[in-house]
C-alpha cells in the first residue's frame, strides 16, 4: 500500500490517483516539518529537470541510446577519453545555458528555516550551489572540476573550451571530477550522509529513481531509523513503497507549494 498525498492506495492504481489539490496532499509533510529540527533533503537529477537539464533514465535522458558503462566508468575513460570528454563537454555546455529552478531555490531557503537542515545530492551540475545551498554534501562529485589522472591536481572550470583538458601542474590528462560507476565515493562524504540519514526527523527524497547505490540506500536507512520520509517524484520509484508519503508532483511545483503552506502556518 502506498500513502499518496494522505490517501492510502494500492500501488497498482499509483498513477491513477488524481489529488484534488496539491496543498491537501502536502499537509501531512508540512505537519511533520513544523515539529522538526533535523531535516534532510536527498536529491537526484529530477530536481534539475525543470531547469531543462536532462535526467539519466527518463525518456530523452542522458543514458538513452548509450550505456553508462561506455561513458561513466574509469574503463570507458581509459578506452576512449575523447568520447567520454565529448559526453561531459556537451553536458557542461547545456549547463551553461540553464539556471536553478524554484525547487533548488526552496531547498536553499530551507537551510534558514530549520535548525539543522542538510542537503545530500547525487547531482554534479552545481545548480544547488548556484541557488545558494551551503549545507550540501555531494556524493558524486562536481562536473565543473577537472582532476589530473597523473597527479590528482584539481581545478574548477567555468567554461567549455579544451577538448581534452591538460593538468596545469604536470601536463597530465585531466578527467571530470565526478564519481563513475565502480568508483568509491569521496572520502567521508557517504559516511556523513549515513549519519545525517540516521539522525533526521524528516527526509525529503526529491527527483531520484533510487537505483544507484550506495546513494539509494540513504532513504531506506532514514525510514528504518524512524524518520518521516516523503518522496517527491512524478513517477513511482524503487523507494516509493517504503515512503511515509508520496507526492507524485514535480519538485518545481510541490516544493514552492510546501514552502507556502509552511509560511502560512508561521505567520498565524
Ligand atoms: C560504488 C556521476 C563502491 C557521474 C553517477 C558492480 C561493480 C561495482 C559497483 C556496482 C556493481 N553493481 C552495482 C554497483 C554499485 C553501482 C550501482 O549502484 N550501479 C547501479 C546502476 C546498479 N554504484 C557504484 O558504482 C557507485 N560506487 O558502489 O562504490 C564499490 C566500488 C567498486 C566496486 C564495488 C563497489 C558509484 C555510483 C556513482 C555513479 N555516478 N553520476 C555523472 O553524472 O556523469 S550515477 C548517476 O545516476 C547520478 O549521479 C545518480 O546518482 C544516479 C541516479 O540517477 P538519478 O539522479 O536518480 O536520476 P534518474 O534519471 O535515474 O532519475 C530521475 C528521477 O527524477 C526519476 O525518478 C524521475 O521520475 C524524476 N523526475 C523527473 N522530473 C522530475 C522528477 N522528480 C521531481 N521533479 C521533476 N520535475
Ligand atoms: Zn597533474
Amino acid at each position: 500500500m502506498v500513502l499518496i498525498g494522505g490517501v492510502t492506495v494500492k500501488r497498482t492504481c499509483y498513477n491513477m490517483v488524481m489529488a484534488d489539490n496539491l496543498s491537501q496532499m502536502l499537509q501531512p509533510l508540512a505537519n511533520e516539518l513544523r515539529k522538526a529540527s533535523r531535516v534532510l533533503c536527498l536529491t537526484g537529477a529530477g530536481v534539475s529537470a525543470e531547469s531543462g537539464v536532462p535526467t539519466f533514465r527518463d525518456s530523452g535522458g542522458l543514458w538513452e541510446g548509450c550505456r553508462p558503462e561506455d561513458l561513466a566508468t574509469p574503463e570507458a575513460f581509459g578506452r576512449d577519453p575523447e568520447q567520454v570528454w565529448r559526453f561531459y563537454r556537451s553536458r557542461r555546455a547545456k549547463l551553461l545555458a540553464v539556471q536553478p529552478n524554484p525547487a533548488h531555490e526552496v531547498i536553499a531557503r530551507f537551510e534558514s528555516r530549520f535548525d539543522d537542515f542538510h542537503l545530500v545530492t547525487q547531482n554534479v551540475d552545481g545548480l544547488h550551489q548556484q541557488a545558494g545551498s551551503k549545507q550540501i554534501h555531494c556524493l558524486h562529485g562536481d562536473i565543473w572540476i577537472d582532476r589530473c589522472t597523473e597527479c590528482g591536481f584539481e581545478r574548477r572550470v567555468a567554461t567549455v573550451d579544451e577538448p581534452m583538458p591538460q593538468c596545469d601542474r604536470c601536463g597530465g590528462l585531466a578527467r571530470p571530477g565526478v564519481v563513475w560507476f565502480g568508483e568509491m565515493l569521496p572520502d567521508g562524504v557517504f559516511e556523513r550522509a549515513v549519519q545525517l540519514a540516521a539522525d533526521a526527523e524528516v527526509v525529503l527524497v526529491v527527483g531520484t529513481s533510487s537505483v544507484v547505490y550506495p546513494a539509494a540506500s540513504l532513504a531506506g536507512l532514514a525510514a528504518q531509523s524512524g524518520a518521516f520520509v516523503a518522496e517527491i517524484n512524478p513517477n513511482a520509484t524503487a523507494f516509493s513503497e517504503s515512503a511515509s508519503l508520496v507526492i507524485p508532483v514535480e519538485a518545481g511545483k510541490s516544493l514552492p507549494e510546501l514552502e507556502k503552506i509552511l509560511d502560512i502556518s508561521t505567520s498565524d
Side-chain angles (χ1 to χ4, degrees):
M1 300 301 269
V2 179
L3 184 66
I4 292 186
V7 179
T8 306
V9 290
K10 268 204 325 325
R11 184 174 173 73
T12 42
C13 65
Y14 178 87
N15 290 325
M16 281 144 38
V17 168
M18 295 302 285
D20 44 18
N21 74 30
L22 177 54
S23 172
Q24 187 212 354
M25 281 203 306
L26 288 163
Q27 285 307 333
L29 173 55
N31 295 340
E32 294 298 329
L33 285 170
R34 285 189 195 103
K35 302 179 284 186
S37 302
R38 298 187 307 281
V39 178
L40 175 63
C41 186
L42 301 172
T43 64
V47 78
S48 298
E50 285 151 282
S51 295
V53 181
T55 62
F56 290 94
R57 295 168 185 83
D58 291 322
S59 60
L62 288 165
W63 293 150
E64 195 165 71
C66 53
R67 297 182 325 144
E69 303 75 49
D70 298 337
L71 291 167
T73 61
E75 295 73 20
F77 190 74
R79 256 194 324 272
D80 188 348
E82 190 106 36
Q83 185 195 22
V84 174
W85 264 118
R86 257 198 308 280
F87 173 59
Y88 282 93
R89 266 206 322 278
S90 73
R91 287 174 62 190
R92 284 179 174 176
K94 280 194 190 89
L95 287 171
L96 287 176
V98 302
Q99 297 296 324
N101 69 63
H104 295 109
E105 289 157 359
V106 170
I107 292 169
R109 287 195 293 268
F110 274 1
E111 282 186 11
S112 49
R113 179 181 287 273
F114 300 103
D115 296 342
D116 186 11
F117 179 89
H118 287 265
L119 166 62
V120 170
T121 188
Q122 300 171 78
N123 296 346
V124 299
D125 58 28
L127 290 177
H128 280 305
Q129 294 90 330
Q130 257 183 265
S133 284
K134 300 267 181 307
Q135 287 283 65
I136 181 168
H137 309 265
C138 298
L139 296 177
H140 293 160
D142 184 335
I143 200 168
W144 293 108
I145 295 286
D146 286 353
R147 184 170 68 233
C148 178
T149 54
E150 304 292 334
C151 71
F153 179 70
E154 293 192 348
R155 68 170 180 180
R156 177 167 293 282
V157 295
T159 54
V160 187
D161 34 27
E162 296 168 63
M164 294 270 273
Q166 245 72 37
C167 171
D168 292 341
R169 196 160 65 180
C170 76
L173 175 62
R175 56 163 281 179
V178 299
V179 177
W180 282 327
F181 289 101
E183 292 189 316
M184 305 304 280
L185 276 56
D187 279 350
V189 176
F190 182 66
E191 292 71 10
R192 179 74 176 115
V194 165
Q195 203 181 25
L196 292 166
D199 291 347
E201 295 164 287
V202 178
V203 178
L204 307 176
V205 185
V206 186
T208 181
S209 57
S210 291
V211 299
V212 172
Y213 284 81
S217 63
L218 293 169
L221 167 66
Q224 280 153 18
S225 309
F228 182 93
V229 186
E231 179 178 66
I232 295 179
N233 191 324
N235 299 304
T237 74
F239 177 71
S240 300
E241 302 230 319
S242 313
S244 317
L245 177 68
V246 171
I247 304 292
V249 176
E250 289 78 1
K253 294 186 188 68
S254 36
L255 285 174
E257 182 63 25
L258 175 63
E259 187 180 44
K260 214 167 82 190
I261 297 168
L262 292 171
D263 285 347
I264 293 167
S265 50
T266 38
S267 61
D268 285 352

